[in-house]
Amino acid sequence: MSIQGLGTQYGRAGRPLRVTVNHIELKKYSEAEIFQYDVDIQPENGQFKKLPEAQFMRSVFDQCMRIHRSSRLGGVHLVYDARKIAVAPKRVCGSTETLRLEVTYTENGRASKFVVQIREAAVIDTSVLTRFIHGDSSTDIADIQPALNALDLAFGSVAHQDMVGFGRSFFTRAQSLPIAGGLELWRGFSLSVRPGIERLFLNVNTAVTVFYTPGQLLETLSSALNVRKAEDLRGKTGRDDIREMGAYLRGLVLFLRHRGISGKRKFTVKGITSTALDRESFEWEDPANPGHAETITVAEYYRRRYNIGLKYPFLPGLVGRRNAIFPIELCEVAENQHYRGSLNDRQTAEMVRFACQGPSDNRNRISDALRQLNFAGSPVISSFGLSLASDMAQVESRVLPAPTVTYGRGSRQPSLSPANGAWNMRDKCVSSPGVPLEHWAVLVLARRSELPDSRVQSFITTLVNTCNQTGYQIKSTRPPIMYGNLSGDISREMRRACDAIRLPPGKAPQLLLVVLQSTNSHVYQTVKNCAYTRLGIQTQCMQSKHMQRPNPQYCANLCLKINTKLGGTNQSLTPSHLQKLLRSKPTLFLGCDVTHPGPGEVNKPSIASVVGSTDFMGLRYSATLIQLPSRQELVGKLQEAIVRHLKLFYKHTKAKPHHILFYRDGVSETQFAQVRDRELIEIQRACSSIEADYKPQITFLAVLKRHNTRFFPMPRDADRSGNCVPGTVIDRSITIPSLFDFYLFSHAAIQGTSRPTHYFVLHNDPKFTADEIQMLTYHLCFTYAICTRSVSLVPPVYYAHRVADRARCHLVDMGVGFEEATSTSSGYYGGPGTTTSRATEDPNRATKIIKTHELLDESMYFM
């Protein structure tokens, strides 16, 4: 089913401004057919067991084109995706013909012959682009994807000539930055053709990614393991260290180079041996003594076979093809290798600093990239009939007015209109206080010598005073202070702290303030897992460094979180204003997000999080977590989750929602129709399952945050950081034809170039106008519970993000994920003996609601 039908809608509210966007208009594009080909590259004799890396495939193909373009291909330019597909502006062979081309490619001094076979797979009608951008209701965004992909390949082929590419992103080492861990950061940019209103655009944005540092593997590995010189690796050969080495090296392409072989030999690391080279042994037949096999260590083999005495035989070996073992000290890291692993806190901070660019720098880098690429001078671009404007486009925008934010009784300033999306809590009281805090304790997971009782109590006194001044009452001013063993059983330490709370009969502990020595994610997740699934107690974690000097501002931030967790609200919109935006209909606000496992985490489930409001003002929310099969996009058991949230709304308001406002994140544009149709039915079924004739109006919005569109205001219209001011909305020129969509800046950027959120209205029973839905979405961003700023994402989705993030804590003890291989499984780490722990028969396939402790189930425990 198509997602067309609502039609493009434009708002009028707000102050008009012109902004520059990182889109370059295609002044000309051909409506002729583009021909898509299947490409099969194989060795002259035999076949690849596994498709080689993209760089190698592209190099072989490019060499083939250089040899055969003018003769066998009639001068036609084919552009290739480095896997299986190529496109051309003209036919290069008959529609049923297979074109067979032979090529010799030389790599590292070795020449090899390959056969490239080209077969026509499809004919792409590019005239569909013209129909789509002019609002033809018979075409859908999925219909134009093949044409867009073909044009992306054409533009990308120009960048590939001098840069390293992955998908639609391209990078260069020219401005790289070495970081900790044997890695380096590279700058680059992304390229993609986007449809606009009656125009096509090339979207160009800056990008940063991580590569392995090329060169001697021993140096790279020393950096990765944080040792100063290779000899210090002697102390890094424990079980956990070798496991860490294996995780870093697995999949890495290396060159083996030593005097016993000519040139250098390329191989990919499959794993790492579980023992050192001077102990790792195998059966070997000495060529000088044929017929006699003996057991020999790898270190001894290199001494006898190649006359090489290894300097570091205490290190494990690298396992390559056919389980051959290679010494680390004889290997080099090949160039241009993309790092796909996770970054630690230090590396992440370095990447953020490197990537953070103000709007003017970002704009200049995009202009520099366009000059460098010189599309106007490219014969490939010319052959596809493409021509670009000389500069980035300018589009109309509007700045919506900020709402009035209200606070509780006792506030010196009970209402305000925030300037630039920010305000403070000075002389203000929370909108409605939660349950007074009487039964709580402090668990310090740090050394008493570093954080004595007196210092902890001093912080508690500041926290209590700040909360009471802010309108949230803490009755117990001297809670029990317990010190726990960080390396011990954290669950037991938490129970011990809870047991120290003096409780009246029938009362449960309300809060555990947990002081952590560091940002160790495993400790944090263990604390939250115990609280969410076993103890049923609200927890507030904080770092020990904040206790050293009690800061009232920090304590005020904690107050907002504690008040929210214990049932209060911190700020609100004016009720009459919100009801006007909602047309005086009781509205259930829903947010939904689906998060998937990271790259390589093939055995972890996807997680859907659904949050629903439990009050008329959209301030209080409850959450539902759903485990999905790995990488499934559609939310199973959504009907069950919606029924739960409908009942909770009625329980707390004594009213049935007349309107459901559903914000859905985690969906790409090509999945809109499928997700909207399936999940809209689930919502409708949930309503009718409660009462057969219960049919509230539904508004369904998709939310996209991960996109490459950036806007640059005129200097006179910018905020202090040079970005668009909060409330800036763009709903014309570069939006999707025939769809009801808009870009919204609802926040003030703290650093870097601000990224707007892209909203798509996919279903609209109440027939909200563009002004109404844009204003409602923007003003909701001022109600995020623990911020005195408007946030970049509408709160229901922001909360769904937080719930999904907390899902990791639920799964800590569920056995979902990888269990590392041991030496008994296959002889090396990361080999085929790697096993998987399973909490259910197959956690990858199970769809189920993940339960939270009943004492927390209806609360905002996730804040």
Side-chain angles (χ1 to χ4, degrees):
M1 183 176 174
S2 168
I3 59 168
Q4 309 283 28
L6 296 182
T8 302
Q9 295 195 31
Y10 301 131
R12 295 183 178 182
R15 177 167 51 94
L17 297 174
R18 287 187 70 78
V19 293
T20 300
V21 61
N22 62 342
H23 286 45
I24 298 90
E25 183 182 353
L26 270 67
K27 302 297 287 185
K28 185 179 76 170
Y29 65 93
S30 172
E31 292 192 35
E33 294 173 329
I34 291 178
F35 299 90
Q36 180 174 314
Y37 295 92
D38 284 338
V39 177
D40 183 43
I41 300 177
Q42 297 292 347
E44 183 182 42
N45 299 311
Q47 285 189 323
F48 292 122
K49 290 184 178 179
K50 181 182 177 183
L51 206 61
E53 66 268 19
Q55 277 180 262
F56 176 83
M57 298 292 281
R58 188 179 303 283
S59 297
V60 173
F61 185 86
D62 288 348
Q63 175 69 2
C64 181
M65 293 300 102
R66 281 190 287 271
I67 294 172
H68 296 292
R69 179 177 291 119
S70 59
S71 55
R72 302 286 303 278
L73 300 174
V76 176
H77 290 275
L78 274 87
V79 292
Y80 176 50
D81 73 347
R83 308 320 287 158
K84 290 287 188 180
I85 294 172
V87 296
K90 295 180 181 178
R91 261 200 177 98
V92 298
C93 60
S95 58
T96 59
E97 179 188 354
T98 297
L99 188 63
R100 189 177 190 275
L101 306 173
E102 296 180 354
V103 61
T104 299
Y105 175 65
T106 302
E107 183 184 44
N108 302 318
R110 293 187 175 189
S112 302
K113 292 185 177 181
F114 297 90
V115 175
V116 179
Q117 296 191 89
I118 299 173
R119 294 179 295 275
E120 188 174 301
V123 178
I124 299 169
D125 176 16
T126 57
S127 67
V128 70
L129 291 170
T130 302
R131 297 197 300 275
F132 182 80
I133 64 178
H134 285 89
D136 182 352
S137 60
S138 67
T139 59
D140 191 61
I141 195 164
D143 299 329
I144 65 170
Q145 210 57 50
L148 293 179
N149 291 341
L151 297 184
D152 285 347
L153 276 179
F155 282 111
S157 69
V158 179
H160 271 298
Q161 294 171 10
D162 299 309
M163 306 182 79
V164 180
F166 305 99
R168 293 175 174 85
S169 298
F170 308 89
F171 301 92
T172 174
R173 200 183 180 201
Q175 298 177 350
S176 62
L177 175 72
I179 63 171
L183 304 172
E184 50 191 34
L185 301 173
W186 288 25
R187 293 195 190 277
F189 49 81
S190 63
L191 300 172
S192 64
V193 177
R194 297 280 302 169
I197 307 298
E198 300 184 353
R199 291 182 287 178
L200 288 177
F201 295 94
L202 179 67
N203 173 221
V204 185
N205 193 32
T206 55
V208 170
T209 196
V210 187
F211 281 78
Y212 287 93
T213 302
Q216 291 298 320
L217 177 59
L218 207 55
E219 295 177 11
T220 301
L221 194 59
S222 297
S223 175
L225 297 178
N226 199 28
V227 298
R228 301 179 96 182
K229 54 184 186 295
E231 183 61 35
D232 295 338
L233 289 170
R234 187 181 295 275
K236 292 281 189 178
T237 55
R239 182 185 179 89
D240 291 342
D241 296 311
I242 292 179
R243 192 173 281 134
E244 185 180 349
M245 281 190 209
Y248 177 82
L249 294 169
R250 197 171 302 122
L252 193 59
V253 177
L254 301 175
F255 290 116
L256 178 72
R257 190 203 295 269
H258 59 78
R259 62 173 175 261
I261 58 175
S262 60
K264 51 186 179 181
R265 188 174 301 164
K266 185 177 181 180
F267 72 98
T268 301
V269 180
K270 289 170 57 181
I272 188 168
T273 61
S274 53
T275 54
L277 293 177
D278 56 5
R279 289 184 287 125
E280 185 75 31
S281 59
F282 65 101
E283 291 290 316
W284 180 59
E285 185 176 307
D286 189 341
N289 189 14
H292 175 70
E294 60 181 306
T295 300
I296 188 174
T297 66
V298 175
E300 180 68 10
Y301 166 79
Y302 272 85
R303 187 186 65 78
R304 290 171 54 179
R305 181 76 175 86
Y306 299 114
N307 194 28
I308 296 174
L310 297 180
K311 295 180 181 178
Y312 309 100
F314 55 83
L315 290 175
L318 305 174
V319 181
R321 188 180 176 194
R322 296 176 183 169
N323 289 349
I325 299 173
F326 305 102
I328 289 172
E329 64 190 82
L330 302 181
C331 294
E332 299 173 3
V333 180
E335 294 183 332
N336 303 336
Q337 293 195 72
H338 197 200
Y339 177 75
R340 293 181 174 85
S342 57
L343 300 178
N344 60 33
D345 291 344
R346 179 183 171 188
Q347 292 166 332
T348 299
E350 288 185 275
M351 185 168 187
V352 168
R353 284 193 296 271
F354 185 72
C356 184
Q357 301 173 97
S360 60
D361 290 339
N362 208 3
R363 182 174 177 171
N364 290 338
R365 286 188 186 279
I366 292 170
S367 297
D368 290 344
L370 289 169
R371 280 192 292 273
Q372 175 188 343
L373 291 167
N374 187 25
F375 288 122
S378 167
V380 175
I381 299 302
S382 176
S383 72
F384 277 86
L386 302 171
S387 174
L388 289 171
S390 59
D391 206 352
M392 287 179 265
Q394 288 194 354
V395 298
E396 297 294 330
S397 72
R398 293 170 290 112
V399 180
L400 303 178
T404 297
V405 176
T406 66
Y407 279 91
R409 295 177 182 176
S411 301
R412 182 175 296 178
Q413 186 184 10
S415 64
L416 67 141
S417 294
N420 299 317
W423 62 99
N424 60 58
M425 282 291 295
R426 192 178 299 118
D427 298 325
K428 298 179 184 66
C429 293
V430 295
S431 183
S432 63
V435 178
L437 186 55
E438 293 185 75
H439 313 302
W440 66 301
V442 180
L443 174 61
V444 182
L445 296 177
R447 296 184 185 90
R448 190 189 292 261
S449 58
E450 296 176 1
L451 207 58
D453 295 61
S454 58
R455 194 163 294 164
V456 176
Q457 185 57 53
S458 173
F459 177 85
I460 291 171
T461 300
T462 304
L463 176 64
V464 169
N465 292 338
T466 303
C467 287
N468 288 335
Q469 291 165 10
T470 311
Y472 177 66
Q473 188 178 11
I474 298 183
K475 291 185 175 180
S476 175
T477 61
R478 300 187 69 85
I481 299 171
M482 307 294 290
Y483 287 83
N485 181 2
L486 189 58
S487 58
D489 184 340
I490 292 176
S491 298
R492 186 180 63 226
E493 302 290 2
M494 292 175 67
R495 289 184 184 277
R496 193 167 62 86
C498 289
D499 290 343
I501 303 171
R502 295 180 180 177
L503 295 172
K507 293 288 185 179
Q510 294 173 282
L511 177 76
L512 196 58
L513 180 64
V514 183
V515 184
L516 304 175
Q517 200 162 15
S518 68
T519 56
N520 183 296
S521 60
H522 179 72
V523 174
Y524 177 84
Q525 289 175 7
T526 303
V527 168
K528 294 296 184 180
N529 175 269
C530 181
Y532 295 165
T533 61
R534 300 178 214 168
L535 296 180
I537 185 174
Q538 300 287 358
T539 51
Q540 182 56 58
C541 293
M542 62 172 290
Q543 291 183 54
S544 58
K545 65 180 182 181
H546 294 298
M547 277 200 167
Q548 301 295 345
R549 288 186 179 179
N551 182 332
Q553 181 59 54
Y554 179 80
C555 291
N557 293 337
L558 284 187
C559 173
L560 297 183
K561 293 184 177 184
I562 294 169
N563 184 50
T564 302
K565 289 174 181 177
L566 292 180
T569 59
N570 296 324
Q571 75 265 11
S572 173
L573 299 179
T574 305
S576 59
H577 171 66
L578 182 62
Q579 289 309 306
K580 181 181 178 181
L581 291 174
L582 295 171
R583 300 177 179 175
S584 300
K585 293 177 181 177
T587 298
L588 170 63
F589 297 95
L590 292 169
C592 178
D593 185 29
V594 177
T595 56
H596 302 293
E601 296 178 323
V602 294
N603 196 54
K604 291 186 178 181
S606 292
I607 296 293
S609 51
V610 182
V611 300
S613 58
T614 57
D615 67 331
F616 290 122
M617 298 296 293
L619 302 175
R620 299 286 312 161
Y621 285 80
S622 58
T624 304
L625 268 174
I626 306 169
Q627 178 180 300
L628 301 175
S630 186
R631 307 196 185 282
Q632 176 175 302
E633 194 56 61
L634 295 172
V635 180
K637 293 191 177 291
L638 180 62
Q639 178 181 336
E640 188 176 331
I642 300 298
V643 167
R644 175 173 181 265
H645 289 294
L646 285 167
K647 290 181 176 179
L648 286 173
F649 184 88
Y650 183 81
K651 175 181 176 181
H652 291 278
T653 66
K654 307 305 178 191
K656 290 187 296 184
H658 293 185
H659 175 223
I660 295 174
L661 184 53
F662 187 77
Y663 288 96
R664 173 66 153 91
D665 196 7
V667 187
S668 66
E669 291 170 349
T670 55
Q671 297 171 314
F672 281 168
Q674 179 189 20
V675 170
R676 191 277 313 268
D677 294 342
R678 165 75 180 273
E679 295 180 2
L680 187 63
I681 290 173
E682 293 291 295
I683 297 171
Q684 292 167 337
R685 286 176 177 169
C687 297
S688 60
S689 72
I690 293 175
E691 288 182 9
D693 60 349
Y694 177 45
K695 297 179 180 179
Q697 293 182 325
I698 300 170
T699 305
F700 191 118
L701 287 89
V703 182
L704 265 67
K705 188 67 177 174
R706 293 183 180 177
H707 59 79
N708 286 307
T709 299
R710 302 292 184 271
F711 297 92
F712 309 104
M714 305 301 172
R716 65 177 181 273
D717 301 322
D719 66 8
R720 286 182 297 180
S721 67
N723 282 291
C724 292
V725 297
T728 302
V729 64
I730 300 94
D731 62 3
R732 56 196 72 208
S733 298
I734 60 155
T735 49
I736 305 296
S738 299
L739 295 188
F740 184 176
D741 66 314
F742 57 93
Y743 293 90
L744 175 64
F745 289 90
S746 52
H747 68 300
I750 297 174
Q751 60 180 358
T753 301
S754 184
R755 175 168 50 185
T757 301
H758 196 178
Y759 295 92
F760 295 79
V761 184
L762 302 183
H763 187 81
N764 187 12
D765 280 338
K767 294 183 170 50
F768 279 126
T769 65
D771 281 335
E772 286 176 317
I773 199 68
Q774 290 167 9
M775 196 78 76
L776 174 60
T777 300
Y778 175 45
H779 287 187
L780 286 174
C781 293
F782 286 77
T783 66
Y784 186 64
I786 57 174
C787 251
T788 54
R789 308 177 65 90
S790 56
V791 291
S792 63
L793 203 54
V794 69
V797 171
Y798 210 140
Y799 295 143
H801 277 319
R802 289 187 70 97
V803 173
D805 186 58
R806 296 296 188 273
R808 287 180 249 166
C809 306
H810 285 268
L811 299 177
V812 164
D813 289 342
M814 290 177 62
V816 177
F818 280 125
E819 193 176 81
E820 294 286 355
T822 64
S823 56
T824 57
S825 62
S826 65
Y828 62 90
Y829 289 95
T834 299
T835 58
T836 304
S837 57
R838 281 161 159 60
T840 62
E841 280 188 57
D842 188 346
N844 242 355
R845 298 182 181 276
T847 298
K848 62 181 181 180
I849 303 286
I850 300 174
K851 298 293 185 182
T852 303
H853 196 286
E854 60 182 7
L855 293 178
L856 303 180
D857 199 31
E858 297 180 18
S859 72
M860 295 179 74
Y861 66 88
F862 46 85
M863 298 307 292

